[in-house]
Amino acid sequence: MIDFWQRFFDFWLNVPPERIIRLFWYFFLLEVPRYLLFDLIVVILFMLKRLWNTRAYESARNQLFAENPLISIIVPGKNEGVHIPKLVQSLTEQTYRNYQLIIIDDGSTDNTPIICRKLEKEGKIDLFLRNEERGGKASAANLALRFSKGKFIVHLDADTSFDRDAIEKILTPFYANPEIGAVGGNVKVRNAKEAVVASFQAVEYLQTITMGRMVASYLGIYKIVSGAFGAFRKDLIDRVGGWDIGPGLDGDITVKIRKMGYRIVFEPRAVCLTNVPTSLKKLSKQRFRWARSMVRFRLRKHADIFVPDQNFQFRNFFSSVENLFFNVVLDALWFFYVIRLVIQNPDILFLMVVMKMFLYGMSNFVQVVLVCMMSERGRQEIKLLMYIPFMSIYDGYYLRLIRTIAYAREWLASSSYDDEWNPRKSSIQAKQHQL
């Protein structure tokens, strides 16, 4: 091992800088400017702006509590009985308490109905609704919408729990700017210690959600309010007719509200914790589903964003173009880059792989340290740095391969309509209407 590292450092210390740039141009020219330098600058600006607007934020918070509007918290799900009591308990500890809690059971086969009816009798759930036949998450959310009385809709996943001020924090931006139509919460991983793959996701969530969405929100191109924790103006949800059936409802409803001319913002201080897949098989299924939405919504359903008509908005256009370029175009380009690199440099292939892990490791290290410095859980999350050396394999190879396959399958075969995550009847109807 010592001999290898000696050879490694001897080799790279003697390689001219221009050759290193040629070998790793993809990293230096495309990924460092976008995912490190640019993100660092924007995050710093974001934090400075937040400090500058402290008084305005406190004023908005005071307006929220002065009005004390009723909000409707809706929780659609299937076979979530084990999670519901923890969720309900987490909500009872919130600093904001004027809410209507609606749980929708979408055809569960576990003890969800028994648990929820008991909690309803105890007054801990305001309304429990059940679809005897599974209709899908959008169908369950729309059922809850019919009975929602609140000024705002807060959409949650059943397996989430929240910091005590999370609901307060996700509602406050609505009072800071009347142009805001939806607010996304900061989703973090709760079960990072259960498996190595969960720990990788914990690091990924810090980078792509806490930091990535902070940057997108600052630039006005934030494109998806997570169904795990998101807040919406109810009047806008009513205007767009609720959630369309079929897979990918989170991104779809976000784009719809953006197209109406309202701003979508991310609130990093509104923190929820969620469980993530602990096996590669489950994670792959989840990410195939997420990635297919890129093609299904950006290139198919909402292709009108790219058309310069009377409803054209450059902010929406740029949001989709940026998303497609960095997630689709650059993914395809990366494969050509790697293949060419392997063909031209077979003698130093292993040394290049290790060097790539080193370069990406340094970049990821800086990102995660910065996030931890801003985080309410910084001391806990800093321990995730031990996984940084392997993030280039997880994100650079594994997730990139998943995304690329998902894009190709969705583009060629509209595979999202065959996903068992959504009921077959809903997928057929969605495909017929291209929802």
Side-chain angles (χ1 to χ4, degrees):
M1 181 61 72
I2 296 176
D3 290 341
F4 168 77
W5 287 113
Q6 183 175 355
R7 180 188 171 210
F8 175 82
F9 286 112
D10 285 345
F11 178 83
W12 290 111
L13 287 174
N14 289 289
V15 172
E18 58 270 21
R19 188 186 180 194
I20 295 178
I21 296 296
R22 286 200 306 271
L23 289 172
F24 301 104
W25 64 266
Y26 188 95
F27 173 77
F28 288 112
L29 299 183
L30 297 175
E31 300 205 321
V32 167
R34 169 63 181 88
Y35 293 110
L36 184 60
L37 299 179
F38 184 74
D39 280 7
L40 292 180
I41 292 170
V42 173
V43 166
I44 291 170
L45 292 175
F46 182 99
M47 299 304 294
L48 291 174
K49 181 179 179 181
R50 192 165 83 173
L51 288 173
W52 181 263
N53 292 332
T54 298
R55 287 188 178 181
Y57 181 85
E58 285 302 315
S59 175
R61 179 182 179 276
N62 291 337
Q63 289 180 51
L64 166 66
F65 280 96
E67 180 182 329
N68 195 36
L70 176 69
I71 67 168
S72 295
I73 299 177
I74 66 172
V75 187
K78 178 187 177 185
N79 292 337
E80 299 284 3
V82 67
H83 300 298
I84 296 295
K86 298 176 185 177
L87 170 66
V88 171
Q89 180 61 35
S90 179
L91 292 174
T92 61
E93 298 169 353
Q94 288 296 303
T95 54
Y96 193 84
R97 301 296 297 276
N98 190 21
Y99 61 81
Q100 170 198 25
L101 176 57
I102 304 176
I103 307 287
I104 316 93
D105 173 21
D106 190 34
S108 291
T109 56
D110 65 355
N111 59 352
T112 295
I114 297 172
I115 291 173
C116 289
R117 288 189 179 114
K118 181 176 181 292
L119 291 171
E120 188 179 29
K121 278 186 179 181
E122 295 172 354
K124 296 179 179 179
I125 292 176
D126 294 291
L127 182 61
F128 171 65
L129 303 168
R130 173 173 166 80
N131 286 329
E132 293 298 332
E133 184 180 355
R134 182 177 172 228
K137 196 170 184 179
S139 174
N142 288 331
L143 176 60
L145 187 63
R146 288 170 48 195
F147 294 89
S148 297
K149 301 175 182 177
K151 180 177 181 179
F152 301 103
I153 301 292
V154 178
H155 187 293
L156 308 179
D157 281 349
D159 65 346
T160 49
S161 58
F162 304 87
D163 285 1
R164 290 188 68 251
D165 57 359
I167 300 297
E168 165 196 328
K169 288 289 197 293
I170 205 168
L171 295 173
T172 299
F174 290 110
Y175 289 84
N177 187 342
E179 294 181 0
I180 291 175
V183 181
N186 192 359
V187 184
K188 297 189 175 186
V189 174
R190 179 172 52 212
N191 61 332
K193 295 181 180 180
E194 290 185 11
V196 172
V197 69
S199 298
F200 286 147
Q201 290 170 84
V203 177
E204 177 198 4
Y205 275 42
L206 291 178
Q207 293 177 297
T208 61
I209 295 182
T210 302
M211 176 175 276
R213 294 183 181 181
M214 198 185 299
V215 171
S217 181
Y218 182 86
L219 298 175
I221 59 173
Y222 178 35
K223 44 197 160 285
I224 181 167
V225 173
S226 173
F229 188 27
F232 307 85
R233 280 178 42 177
K234 184 177 186 297
D235 60 322
L236 301 185
I237 297 291
D238 289 335
R239 281 173 58 185
V240 299
W243 287 265
D244 282 350
I245 60 172
L249 63 160
D250 298 343
D252 183 41
I253 197 74
T254 306
V255 173
K256 284 184 174 182
I257 295 174
R258 287 186 65 98
K259 288 165 74 172
M260 292 168 66
Y262 289 89
R263 294 188 60 194
I264 309 294
V265 298
F266 175 70
E267 178 47 75
R269 292 168 288 193
V271 178
C272 88
L273 302 176
T274 188
N275 288 331
V276 296
T278 54
S279 71
L280 284 177
K281 181 179 180 180
K282 291 180 180 179
L283 177 60
S284 298
K285 289 179 66 175
Q286 180 196 68
R287 297 312 173 90
F288 274 126
R289 185 173 71 248
W290 288 5
R292 285 192 291 254
S293 296
M294 173 75 71
V295 174
R296 181 166 177 251
F297 290 115
R298 302 291 172 188
L299 294 178
R300 193 177 294 141
K301 184 174 182 180
H302 294 292
D304 56 334
I305 281 178
F306 303 101
V307 180
D309 59 11
Q310 66 272 19
N311 298 316
F312 179 82
Q313 295 180 23
F314 180 78
R315 188 165 56 189
N316 290 342
F317 169 81
F318 182 69
S319 174
S320 288
V321 168
E322 187 267 351
N323 202 14
L324 289 168
F325 179 74
F326 283 99
N327 288 280
V328 179
V329 176
L330 288 194
D331 266 9
L333 179 62
W334 181 86
F335 282 99
F336 288 106
Y337 159 72
V338 169
I339 292 171
R340 186 166 179 261
L341 204 62
V342 171
I343 294 174
Q344 294 181 342
N345 305 275
D347 54 323
I348 58 169
L349 184 59
F350 186 67
L351 291 174
M352 288 193 300
V353 170
V354 177
M355 186 60 172
K356 179 179 181 294
M357 291 177 65
F358 175 78
L359 293 172
Y360 279 89
M362 293 299 295
S363 174
N364 290 330
F365 179 86
V366 173
Q367 280 189 314
V368 173
V369 167
L370 181 61
V371 172
C372 290
M373 289 172 61
M374 300 183 296
S375 174
E376 75 294 335
R377 290 174 172 79
R379 290 186 179 181
Q380 174 184 336
E381 292 166 345
I382 200 71
K383 298 176 183 177
L384 293 168
L385 288 175
M386 62 183 292
Y387 297 97
I388 290 296
F390 307 99
M391 285 301 295
S392 63
I393 297 174
Y394 169 77
D395 186 50
Y397 296 98
Y398 167 70
L399 288 185
R400 181 173 271 128
L401 181 62
I402 292 288
R403 289 195 302 267
T404 304
I405 294 173
Y407 298 152
R409 290 175 60 185
E410 181 64 22
W411 182 257
L412 298 173
S414 297
S415 58
S416 61
Y417 296 104
D418 299 320
D419 194 327
E420 62 183 20
W421 183 83
N422 203 59
R424 183 63 180 162
K425 62 177 183 179
S426 297
S427 292
I428 292 173
Q429 186 176 348
K431 190 172 184 178
Q432 288 175 346
H433 297 87
Q434 288 297 299
L435 294 175

